[in-house]
Amino acid sequence: MTLRKPDSHLNNSCAFFNTDAICLKTLEGKNNSIVIFLFTKEFGPLVVFSKISLKKKSNTLSNLDIGQEISVTLNKKNDSYYLKECSLKTCFNYSDYSALILSGFVLEISSNLPEEIAIKFDVFYNLLLKTLGAISEKKAPFNHVINFQIKLLEFTGNSGDVLFCSKCQNKIPENENSYAENNYWNFFCKDCYNGSNNTLILNNEERVILSQWMNSETSSNISDIHLAKPIVIKIQKYLFQVYADMFTLKTLPQLAQLLNEKLK
Ligand SMILES: [Zn+2]
């Protein structure tokens, strides 16, 4: 796995470069400065500074909306990055309540990725873009948000085939349940399952649907394969606990509550 950082090819003390990015968060600081949290396609997460107040949005900064895909020109000076140009590349629409909550949840996770998650930046970037696109277009957004969380667990290596027991490697018998526990997306048969507070239990019918769904790479399959609401709710409930433990996000319980209300 190659993780390329801007520093690895920008050795000059002052250099300009272009990249596509998704704006995750902005903070207004002292002296009309703005701190912008980007996830860039080539270099992953970057914290970028700009000097103009958002209140007096210039043309450059008018494109700087959270959750949008932008093309940026950045200036690297010593160890800091400064925003020089910014244009809108893909405009997403989060105009309703549900879209705002879902995109807020996905962006919150994206801006708090733990260091130990080894991700290929472009792979994560495309996943984030696809998820935000589905939320914006209202194409099975809950499916895509769950897919986003499972894929992220795959990047950490905490995932396995839903049809097989991760411990004894046997195919889980059709008349038995399978169990995921301890913050992994690995499943166990009833003999190998330890029993923990946060457990996801799937019957055969549910794991067959989930298996088809997880093995389909295209966005339309994720939208088209129907996950019944009770499955969505129990998967999301399990994943929230996983993410609450993994990311220690203070806002996650609040987001979980909002999301659960929308799921009902
Ligand atoms: Zn087993």
Side-chain angles (χ1 to χ4, degrees), residues 165 167-170 188-189 191-192:
C165 174
K167 197 173 176 192
C168 68
Q169 312 290 328
N170 291 329
F188 299 98
C189 68
D191 297 327
C192 298

Side-chain angles (χ1 to χ4, degrees), residues 3-246:
L3 300 181
R4 218 148 56 93
K5 294 209 162 186
D7 309 67
S8 65
H9 85 299
L10 294 168
N11 292 321
N12 302 336
S13 61
C14 180
F16 287 89
F17 62 101
N18 300 315
T19 183
D20 290 340
I22 293 162
C23 179
L24 303 174
K25 195 157 73 173
T26 58
L27 290 177
E28 210 163 340
K30 286 177 184 170
N31 307 323
N32 294 337
S33 60
I34 315 166
V35 183
I36 306 148
F37 296 80
L38 299 177
F39 196 95
T40 66
K41 192 171 190 172
E42 288 170 84
F43 313 113
L46 281 188
V47 179
V48 171
F49 299 95
S50 187
K51 260 299 190 185
I52 313 144
S53 168
L54 277 177
K55 286 170 193 153
K56 300 177 273 177
K57 274 187 176 179
S58 66
N59 282 338
T60 300
L61 291 175
S62 63
N63 295 317
L64 197 70
D65 277 331
I66 293 165
Q68 306 297 345
E69 188 189 29
I70 49 182
S71 295
V72 291
T73 304
L74 302 175
N75 182 11
K76 182 173 187 274
K77 252 191 235 168
N78 301 320
D79 285 327
S80 301
Y81 298 93
Y82 298 90
L83 182 71
K84 288 296 158 196
E85 297 287 336
C86 171
S87 61
L88 193 61
K89 193 173 180 205
T90 312
C91 180
F92 295 122
N93 173 14
Y94 312 116
S95 54
D96 66 55
Y97 184 60
S98 182
L100 271 177
I101 293 167
L102 288 173
S103 61
F105 174 64
V106 167
L107 293 168
E108 183 74 7
I109 287 176
S110 303
S111 57
N112 288 280
L113 294 176
E115 293 274 315
E116 64 269 21
I117 294 189
I119 43 171
K120 284 186 177 173
F121 296 141
D122 60 332
V123 173
F124 180 78
Y125 186 88
N126 289 332
L127 173 66
L128 180 55
L129 204 61
K130 188 168 78 174
T131 308
L132 293 174
I135 294 169
S136 168
E137 291 165 27
K138 300 186 186 6
K139 285 185 178 162
F142 281 105
N143 280 15
H144 280 270
V145 170
I146 286 176
N147 177 63
F148 174 83
Q149 295 167 85
I150 296 171
K151 286 275 151 57
L152 201 49
L153 289 179
E154 284 179 13
F155 294 144
T156 66
N158 294 345
S159 79
D161 193 322
V162 294
L163 298 178
F164 290 84
C165 174
S166 288
K167 197 173 176 192
C168 68
Q169 312 290 328
N170 291 329
K171 189 161 193 277
I172 293 162
E174 286 183 13
N175 57 349
E176 287 176 13
N177 289 332
S178 56
Y179 306 82
E181 60 178 343
N182 294 330
N183 296 351
Y184 292 100
W185 191 254
N186 288 320
F187 288 84
F188 299 98
C189 68
K190 71 175 186 348
D191 297 327
C192 298
Y193 161 64
N194 285 315
S196 79
N197 288 337
N198 189 32
T199 301
L200 173 64
I201 304 172
L202 296 177
N203 64 33
N204 189 60
E205 192 188 345
E206 291 167 339
R207 58 182 178 262
V208 167
I209 296 170
L210 208 55
S211 173
Q212 288 173 357
W213 191 62
M214 287 177 65
N215 290 320
S216 61
E217 282 306 312
T218 67
S219 185
S220 63
N221 280 344
I222 294 166
S223 307
D224 293 345
I225 294 175
H226 180 68
L227 290 180
K229 225 171 200 181
I231 311 182
V232 173
I233 290 171
K234 73 178 176 183
I235 294 174
Q236 188 57 74
K237 190 169 168 253
Y238 177 73
L239 288 172
F240 265 130
Q241 191 55 51
V242 172
Y243 275 82
D245 292 346
M246 195 160 81

